[in-house]
Amino acid sequence: DGARGVAAAAIHLACAELHGRRTDRDAVDGALAAAVEAAAGGAAAGPAELLNVQLARVDHLRETDRGDAALALLDALAPELARAAPEQQARALAARGSALMLRGGHTEAQSLMNEAIGLLEGLLAARPRLAALLLELARAAVRRGDLAVARRLAERAIAVHESIDAPSGLASALTILGVLLIHGGERPAALAALSRARALAQRCGDVPAHRAAILNLVKILVDEGDTEQASALLDEGVALVPTFEHRRSEQAFREARFYLYYLRGELAQARAEAGRLLAFADHGSGPFERIGARHLVVDLYLLEGDLASARRVLDAAQALCDAQRASAEGTLFDASQLIKQAWLAQAEGRAADALACLPRADALQRMEDRFACAWVGGAAARALGDMAEAQRRLDAVDLDAEVALDQLAPWLEQRLALASAEGRVDAPAASRARTLLAERRVPVQMAERLGRALAAAATGGAS
């Protein structure tokens, strides 16, 4: 309508936000360039308006795998930021923290974001920025492995987003909460949060938020053994738009695809996808994503008995973990790295090393880690002939807990094997195993092992 200067810049920024919801990176670049040009050429544009446009560019660069460019632009804006309003300073601090977080710098990211929150507290007009910042802090806490803090931040982010009627941000905050509920074994609550997140994101046309909700709904489905619905939902997420918003999203969908092959026993496809997944992660992903990809694919090698491949993958993951710790940076994967190293040691016949490697069960925050620690420890203790220790470790988790079937199945297998070795019957474990096998929900390779353990338990033979 002929708008110029500040008004035109505002329109271009709004267009950039809408293009971002459709993951159209080039269109966002174009809209932001037009916003810069409009603001720079407008007589009414002051330092604050020009800085807002540049900070929008920073956010877009950070969100589209161009973290170095985002940090360079922030450095170039330092003189303007020194004179800027608190909300703009907070936005810059949060952007720098987010960019550093994706490099693995969780501690510095948290410090910068906490500083930003201090600038925003009490500013009513800054509540949208505060809501977004709380969400980023929750993500940083998840990556750092501090899930209790992450949950408090996610719940606070939800409350702020609801108070300002921001459906896109609310969808993202609900998705983070859903992830944390899955980790805690609260699956019905996680399903409710993620379903609401998906509906909100779909209604406001936010593809990245929609995909994130879908991805974690897929996680619930595969954990329950429903690979058919999971595959259909995954295809729906991919088909929303032809591009991914950033590498993290694309990698997550690749991981889900690999996991479906693995669960269905389609081993040739799983092996091929594992190689592609690791190559993708190593070509531009951050340390957190590179460790996570290795922790996913190593289970395939361990179950197949390909211990050379398993060791190669875990050694690479260990080097990444060591590099993080050298910078005083822990991650969510520290505990699972120890557990998978223990699984490898047990598979190699080094049961004593496996027990020595396992983390303390009471220090584990994720339900899947607690189950994995229990069954790997039980198997190692039984291999050493210490049946009392094996029982103690297996009893550390509950038969009725909400946990992924790829962790429940080997735990049941070890309970049945221990009972067989002691010449007794474990009726609750046998009943649960029979139900899972009858429903055909257990991952194929694990189903074979669980079936053998169940048969041995029925005849009183050792497994």
Side-chain angles (χ1 to χ4, degrees):
D1 62 359
R4 296 287 185 270
V6 174
I11 293 169
H12 288 305
L13 288 178
C15 287
E17 181 180 347
L18 293 173
H19 291 311
R21 291 187 186 190
R22 298 292 296 170
T23 75
D24 191 338
R25 169 173 160 168
D26 292 341
V28 177
D29 285 340
L32 290 175
V36 170
E37 183 178 355
E49 288 79 14
L50 291 169
L51 186 55
N52 276 337
V53 174
Q54 295 290 9
L55 289 174
R57 288 184 61 212
V58 169
D59 286 336
H60 177 55
L61 291 169
R62 172 183 56 79
E63 291 164 1
T64 52
D65 306 313
R66 292 174 284 181
D68 288 346
L71 291 170
L73 181 52
L74 281 172
D75 290 342
L77 294 172
E80 291 87 347
L81 287 168
R83 301 185 295 271
E87 185 176 353
Q88 291 178 314
Q89 291 180 345
R91 183 175 183 179
L93 288 168
R96 186 178 294 277
S98 295
L100 294 173
M101 178 181 73
L102 297 178
R103 289 178 167 183
H106 308 132
T107 302
E108 186 175 357
Q110 181 184 19
S111 176
L112 290 168
M113 291 176 188
N114 283 333
E115 185 180 348
I117 282 184
L119 291 170
L120 296 179
E121 293 282 18
L123 298 178
L124 189 60
R127 289 182 71 76
R129 187 66 52 198
L130 176 63
L133 185 51
L134 289 167
L135 188 54
E136 281 299 292
L137 263 174
R139 290 191 179 105
V142 170
R143 286 170 166 262
R144 204 172 57 248
D146 199 340
L147 301 189
V149 169
R151 182 162 177 173
R152 289 196 296 272
L153 287 164
E155 289 170 343
R156 189 179 172 199
I158 288 168
V160 179
H161 277 106
E162 286 180 325
S163 75
I164 59 175
D165 189 24
S168 182
L170 179 57
S172 295
L174 284 164
T175 296
I176 293 292
L177 179 62
V179 170
L180 294 164
L181 291 167
I182 291 172
H183 287 328
E186 301 176 59
R187 292 192 177 276
L191 179 61
L194 291 168
S195 297
R196 185 185 175 200
R198 183 186 179 194
L200 284 165
Q202 189 170 23
R203 190 162 69 241
C204 68
D206 190 325
V207 171
H210 193 178
R211 275 182 169 156
I214 281 177
L215 192 68
N216 287 286
L217 286 167
V218 167
K219 164 71 173 165
I220 290 179
L221 289 168
V222 296
D223 283 355
E224 294 174 346
D226 192 344
T227 56
E228 186 174 340
Q229 282 197 56
S231 183
L233 188 56
L234 194 68
D235 289 341
E236 183 181 331
V238 172
L240 287 175
V241 292
T243 56
F244 283 95
E245 51 273 24
H246 44 58
R247 291 184 61 84
R248 301 185 302 286
S249 178
E250 183 173 356
Q251 180 173 324
F253 273 81
R254 285 172 177 263
E255 288 174 347
R257 187 72 65 196
F258 159 80
Y259 199 50
L260 284 169
Y261 289 139
Y262 158 65
L263 293 180
R264 292 191 298 239
E266 298 169 358
L267 302 184
Q269 296 95 319
R271 271 193 164 269
E273 191 63 32
R276 289 190 290 266
L277 172 58
L278 293 179
F280 181 87
D282 286 342
H283 189 67
S285 295
F288 184 86
E289 287 75 23
R290 294 171 67 194
I291 297 168
R294 283 169 169 80
H295 281 190
L296 185 65
V297 305
V298 76
D299 289 8
L300 170 66
Y301 300 139
L302 286 166
L303 279 172
E304 284 190 314
D306 183 355
L307 303 187
S309 293
R311 175 161 291 285
R312 185 178 67 252
V313 167
L314 281 180
D315 284 350
Q318 188 64 56
L320 290 164
C321 289
D322 290 344
Q324 285 292 104
R325 276 196 295 275
S327 303
E329 300 287 358
T331 77
L332 176 66
F333 297 127
D334 287 350
S336 53
Q337 175 70 14
L338 293 173
I339 294 167
K340 290 180 188 295
Q341 291 279 21
W343 183 0
L344 175 61
Q346 166 62 16
E348 291 175 336
R350 298 182 290 110
D353 291 341
L355 286 180
C357 187
L358 285 169
R360 286 189 5 256
D362 60 2
L364 300 174
Q365 300 183 68
R366 296 195 298 176
M367 184 65 71
E368 61 190 76
D369 286 341
R370 294 199 285 272
F371 265 79
C373 189
W375 73 258
V376 172
R382 185 166 60 85
L384 293 171
D386 191 341
M387 304 305 177
E389 177 64 9
Q391 189 69 61
R392 185 187 73 79
R393 288 181 176 270
L394 290 168
D395 287 345
V397 292
D398 188 347
L399 180 67
D400 296 321
E402 295 281 350
V403 69
L405 294 183
D406 67 341
Q407 295 304 330
L408 178 61
W411 178 76
L412 288 170
E413 175 195 347
Q414 291 305 320
R415 276 190 53 159
L416 293 168
L418 179 61
S420 294
E422 294 182 333
R424 57 182 176 81
V425 175
D426 187 337
S431 175
R432 187 75 186 275
R434 279 193 294 271
T435 299
L436 292 179
L437 290 172
E439 294 174 347
R440 296 180 175 272
R441 292 195 296 137
V442 178
V444 172
Q445 288 176 295
M446 292 180 177
E448 295 173 357
R449 297 165 63 111
L450 184 58
R452 289 195 297 271
L454 187 59
T459 59
S463 173

